[in-house]
Amino acid sequence: MSLSTSSANRKPVFVLVGGTGDLALRMLWPSLAMLDQDGFLDKDLRIISVAREAVDRPAFLERVSSAVQKRIGADLEATTLDQFLPRLSHIALDASDPQWGAKLKAELGEPDALEVVYFLSVSPSLFKPICEHLESAGLSKSPNRVIIEKPLGRDLASSKVINDSVAHAFDEARTFRIDHYLGKETVQNLLALRFANTVFEPLWNAQSIDHVQVSVSETVGTGDRLGYYDDYGALRDMVQNHLLQLVCLLAMEPPSNFNADALRDEKVKVLRSLKPITADNVRDVTARGQYGPGFAEGKQVAGYEAEKGSPSNTETYVAIKAEIANWRWAGTPFYLRTGKTLPSRTTEVVIQFRPVPHSIFGSAAQPNRLVIRLQPDEDIKLTVMNKAPGLSADGMQLQPLDLSLSLSNAFDGNGDKPPRRRIAYERLILDALNGNNAAFVRRDEVEAAWAWVDGISAAWAEAYPKPQIYPAGTNGPMSAYMLLDRDHRVWND
Ligand code: NAP
């Protein structure tokens, strides 16, 4: 099924529930407009925004148009909005209104003549009523699909409640769970790098790789998300989804084909192979931190508890030594870390290879390292040792050389201008329109990730209740450095 290219008989519709919200304005409308600019949307595709606020059409189009211009800037072509805006309409509906489904149906028209993708860009507490409305109005039947995004629960039990409420209306194959990291070009490229080349695969195991680091650092604090964040913390907000999805793609076995379930079968095996962390070892294999007073992004930061106005044990920083109990990875830890108010905004994976078995150059021969950067720039670099050019009285000198597989340099679209860096949601929306769920997270993945994360939360509650304070603007708590130091390793700062 496909909504981005003409589908048989049915008229394509994209319904954006929460079309006036922050995510919609910053990411989703600009993504849809750019898909239109690049010719990916069916000429008949209608796009309907739904929210409680009543906005007349001209005011709504003005809001979308300025959001798109602000986000896309100079890459927005002069005619794009002329083509895109006529597709749009907005209707005011409250999800608590029992007539929600009937009113939406009146706007949509005969359901059997339509193929609808719903993007629920609203609080997950509304997923249940909205799915019930869609089901009772006959709007959730195949081939219609639903896109949802985190937070999908705060533990395994609450995630099951959310998934069950969606599953009542949409079967698994028609449920598209977004982890926007999976829409990033470099993350997709990880699959190409691993499974379209022969050079890496023989080395992609514990025999050749010493350890892996996955780091996601943010310069911001919790800001206006503090109310939400205090109930989640870094472990639930970042590790359960983004970091573990990266671990899956790095550690999975080669799938037998590129089909969505073949891929996701291999990803879920990684999650199920993660060694449980318990109260007995949690202080050795995790670090918890919370930012205190300091200076971040050029501004004075009062500290998390001061911002909240009351004591809190919520962690704004976490580091974990994750171990994957299988033949490929036994003995090769995956160190994960993420935190707020850190000195730089970076998302980076480091694959640290083992040293040569016998160095004829002494300690000058440093081990190879593959660095995959998602932020601030998207780039892949392989560090290899090289002879330093020229003569030296001390004999041959070595130097590390970075081989760059930089996406923007390698695929310079038209020769003079690097290709536009796409919003991750563009690819994900396009895939959902096309009914391709390979880059979306399956229910068993979400639940396996929660099961492992819940073990850490329980171990913390028992044996590590208080995070260590680190000054805002620094690299996180000392305990994160001790975590690697115990293994005679260092973070790639
Ligand atoms: P938001 O700015 O609060 O927007 C929520 C949207 O839902 C608004 O359009 C709001 O419009 C609508 N809405 C709220 N209550 C409604 C109701 N009872 N019936 C119908 N519509 C209702 O939130 P957001 O930041 O866009 O986030 C949306 C979802 O995406 C949340 O679950 C969030 O956790 C998740 N998310 C957001 C981001 C992000 O960057 N913002 C990133 C990842 C995930 P009205 O008030 O007019 O109804």
Side-chain angles (χ1 to χ4, degrees), residues 251-266:
M252 68 195 266
E253 293 301 314
S256 60
N257 58 54
F258 202 44
N259 140 319
D261 279 328
L263 266 169
R264 300 185 300 177
D265 287 346
E266 297 305 335

Side-chain angles (χ1 to χ4, degrees), residues 30-41 68 72-81 83-84 87 417 420 422 426:
S31 295
L32 284 159
M34 295 315 281
L35 288 174
D36 206 4
Q37 175 166 303
D38 293 339
F40 286 116
L41 300 187
V68 172
I72 306 298
D75 287 313
L76 185 68
E77 290 170 10
T79 55
T80 299
L81 289 174
Q83 175 179 308
F84 179 63
R87 298 175 181 278
K417 186 171 162 237
R420 181 176 64 85
R422 287 189 180 277
E426 289 179 53

Side-chain angles (χ1 to χ4, degrees), residues 428-459:
L428 296 171
I429 292 173
L430 179 62
D431 282 356
L433 291 173
N434 283 329
N436 174 7
N437 44 19
F440 294 81
V441 186
R442 210 169 56 187
R443 177 173 181 160
D444 53 357
E445 291 180 72
V446 177
E447 295 186 353
W450 274 125
W452 188 69
V453 159
D454 281 358
I456 300 174
S457 302

Side-chain angles (χ1 to χ4, degrees), residues 58 75 79 84 110 130 138 149 228 247 283 288 415 418-419 454 466 487:
D75 287 313
T79 55
F84 179 63
E110 177 47 50
I130 289 173
E149 186 166 5
Y228 152 84
V247 170
R283 295 194 81 95
R288 292 184 81 191
D454 281 358
K466 282 211 170 299
D487 293 347

